[in-house]
Amino acid sequence: MRIALAQLNPTVGDLSGNSRLIADAVQLAIAQGAELVVTSELVLCGYPPKDLLLRQGYVAACDRAVEDLARRLPPHVGVLVGHPTARHLPQGRVANAASLLYQGGILSTVHKTLLPNYDVFDEERYFRPATERRLMEFKGFKLGVHICEDAWWGEANTFYHQEPDERVDPVTDLARQGAQLLINLSASPFEVDKPGRRFGILHRHATSHRLPILFVNQVGGNDDLVFDGHSHVLDEKGRAIARLAGFETDLKVFDFGKTLEPVTLAPHRREQLLLDALTLGLKDYLRKCGFSDVVFGSSGGIDSALACAIAARAVGPQHVHALLMPSRYSSDHSIEDARLLSERLGVDWEIVPIDEVHRAYERLPLISSDLASQPAGLADQNLQARIRGAIVMTRSNRHHWMAIATGNKSELAVGYCTIYGDMCGGFAVLADLFKQDVYAVSRYVNELAGQEVIPVSIIDKAPSAELAPNQFDQDTLPPYPILDAILKGLIETEQSPQELAEMYSPETVRWVVKALDRNEFKRRQMPPGIKLSQRAFGSGRRMPMASRISYDFEE
């Protein structure tokens, strides 16, 4: 039987548009001789639909859309579609389902058993789990269809205090019932180490049960999540016999039942994964929110330079607008670096000096005394950032361009950023990228281009906000390699300050811990960003704002 893997990019909530995506993919698959087409988890409504599922009538509309899609698809091909359903369930109950559409109707439906409830997932809020597993039979084959987390049974995740699930192992249950092919419909969000982890899970199932396994993952950006695709087919020996592209829609047909040669899988390079995820995340956020262009403040620093390069990849340089907004403290080389970057990338740029506006504020009776009492102090520095933010937002409002914030995870973690200033905008493209990764990805941009797209002078110079005379980041912050290492320990692996103080200066650790915790209120007000790590700021890390946490530990 020829089976097509349809790796699609749905838009959350768009039932008609997503139905068209599925129908178009089916036509492509038929042209390649497919008899069965497999799509991803909840592809009909897009993942994650969140509280749309609680809106009265929405799940019923999804059920009608599935029935309508079944009637409109060519009758001679089977199509596995992921969708939410309330069909044949008690009043008010909803399941995460996969249905086999065939000959104008719904041939069979299975429900998801294991509902993730950690990190960004809260499926127990919406769905009821399956109470049984059943094989799907199609054209004489017994298919073990299951959904995303069902394949992760036994993967202990102590970071989220998840023990191996004590309930039934869905994949083992299906294998014991006589499945000839395991099929997993997924919407598995990207994390930088997850493609390898997923393959390890698929390999374990294939070799444990001596069965081939087919995995179809969603692709595309939805809010703060990016889905990387990388769908696979593994044979019964755990060897990859097909892999779909990463970070783009794709469709591939393979012959189930025929002996196929394994394919060679090139290793994933960290910088490439990060760059692709950032590009797709920004591109889809803009497209799905109805924006074609971006505008941002270009300082001549590394963060805004990388943000500019990502934006140019995402929407094309003709749709990127850089505002160079020098103050009295801006260096000539920063303005020149920002200009050179813009010209090399081919983006629109304009110099908009802020000193005249800054001096006008200094003359206002209401605030002149506050600024004069501490020249170039924190209030004055933040004022400059807010002047720039207001200029960016004015341009954004006037032209309907999405304003993007360019701050990185290191700065956001310790509050080295200004609310209503450099934090303003509709999307924070680097919000889950530590400073060291900003440098690494910037160098990779140049390597990929085969030329110096981001001027080396930007990469090599000491970072500075240039809001006060002779100001450098390291006057306020620990060196970035040390800061990033401590932050990774605190955020991504939840190490204790005591443990970190054995590796780094206790005084530095104490400062970082305090800065991290007291700036939660800032992070709650930042624009959404792109989740790249296991613990990104936002829905996957929920910390209190009004708190009094003890930091005492032995030095």
Side-chain angles (χ1 to χ4, degrees), residues 160-175:
Y160 292 107
H161 311 291
Q162 302 288 310
E163 296 299 327
D165 202 296
E166 295 179 356
R167 295 170 291 178
V168 65
D169 173 355
V171 176
T172 297
D173 193 3
L174 293 167

Side-chain angles (χ1 to χ4, degrees), residues 38-282:
V38 183
T39 65
S40 55
E41 177 184 15
L42 295 184
V43 66
L44 191 73
C45 65
Y47 191 95
K50 300 183 180 179
D51 280 9
L52 269 178
L53 296 170
L54 304 180
R55 180 173 291 179
Q56 186 174 1
Y58 186 74
V59 175
C62 291
D63 277 330
R64 290 193 299 272
V66 172
E67 295 165 356
D68 180 63
L69 181 62
R71 286 190 294 268
R72 291 190 292 110
L73 290 174
H76 63 282
V77 63
V79 183
L80 267 172
V81 174
H83 63 98
T85 184
R87 190 186 296 110
H88 308 311
L89 291 174
Q91 181 67 30
R93 305 304 296 273
V94 177
N96 184 335
S99 289
L100 178 55
L101 313 184
Y102 185 57
Q103 293 184 339
I106 299 173
L107 184 64
S108 182
T109 297
V110 298
H111 297 169
K112 188 174 184 177
T113 298
L114 304 182
L115 304 177
N117 219 53
Y118 56 88
D119 190 25
V120 298
F121 307 106
D122 49 8
E123 289 197 23
E124 290 181 7
R125 175 182 174 92
Y126 308 108
F127 299 117
R128 44 82 69 198
T131 56
E132 63 174 350
R133 269 65 44 205
R134 292 181 294 103
L135 298 178
M136 286 185 177
E137 295 197 17
F138 184 68
K139 295 196 173 181
F141 291 98
K142 295 179 179 180
L143 309 177
V145 177
H146 55 291
I147 301 172
C148 203
E149 189 82 4
D150 289 345
W152 290 68
W153 185 94
E155 297 295 316
N157 192 337
T158 55
F159 183 80
Y160 292 107
H161 311 291
Q162 302 288 310
E163 296 299 327
D165 202 296
E166 295 179 356
R167 295 170 291 178
V168 65
D169 173 355
V171 176
T172 297
D173 193 3
L174 293 167
R176 287 173 178 168
Q177 292 181 44
Q180 297 168 280
L181 171 66
L182 299 170
I183 299 178
N184 183 273
L185 284 69
S186 274
S188 179
F190 172 78
E191 294 169 7
V192 71
D193 65 339
K194 193 179 272 188
R197 289 167 57 205
R198 283 198 217 103
F199 186 84
I201 290 168
L202 298 174
H203 181 271
R204 174 172 62 82
H205 287 307
T207 55
S208 295
H209 302 297
R210 303 295 294 173
L211 288 173
I213 184 167
L214 183 155
F215 162 80
V216 177
N217 191 28
Q218 178 173 291
V219 72
N222 283 326
D223 295 349
D224 57 333
L225 301 181
V226 172
F227 299 85
D228 55 298
H230 286 126
S231 302
H232 278 85
V233 181
L234 277 65
D235 66 14
E236 69 280 0
K237 295 180 181 179
R239 302 175 301 182
I241 56 175
R243 182 171 78 175
L244 273 63
F247 302 100
E248 61 184 76
T249 59
D250 199 3
L251 186 142
K252 188 166 291 186
V253 177
F254 85 104
D255 280 309
F256 171 57
K258 290 188 177 180
T259 301
L260 299 174
E261 291 298 316
V263 297
T264 301
L265 301 181
H268 298 289
R269 181 166 172 178
R270 176 184 173 84
E271 292 85 358
Q272 180 72 64
L273 288 172
L274 290 171
L275 181 60
D276 286 344
L278 289 162
T279 302
L280 180 59
L282 177 60

Side-chain angles (χ1 to χ4, degrees), residues 12 21 46-47 66 93 200 249 275-276 285 319 340 354 399-400 425 429 437 496 499 519:
V12 171
L21 282 180
Y47 191 95
V66 172
R93 305 304 296 273
T249 59
L275 181 60
D276 286 344
Y285 191 78
H319 296 291
L340 186 58
I354 69 165
H399 298 281
H400 194 64
V429 67
D437 280 328
S496 69
E499 184 180 357
N519 283 289

Side-chain angles (χ1 to χ4, degrees), residues 430-504:
L430 305 180
D432 199 30
L433 202 65
F434 284 114
K435 191 74 170 187
Q436 295 300 101
D437 280 328
V438 171
Y439 283 110
V441 176
S442 295
R443 294 188 185 99
Y444 182 69
V445 167
N446 287 349
E447 178 185 334
L448 195 63
Q451 57 183 317
E452 194 179 306
V453 175
I454 298 177
V456 70
S457 54
I458 292 178
I459 296 174
D460 289 345
K461 69 183 174 186
S464 170
E466 294 191 334
L467 297 171
N470 301 312
Q471 182 187 49
F472 296 96
D473 290 7
Q474 307 300 221
D475 298 335
T476 303
L477 307 176
Y480 278 116
I482 294 174
L483 175 61
D484 287 357
I486 295 172
L487 287 172
K488 286 182 179 180
L490 292 170
I491 298 166
E492 297 189 357
T493 57
E494 292 287 0
Q495 289 177 272
S496 69
Q498 291 89 339
E499 184 180 357
L500 290 166
E502 295 175 3
M503 296 180 280
Y504 307 98

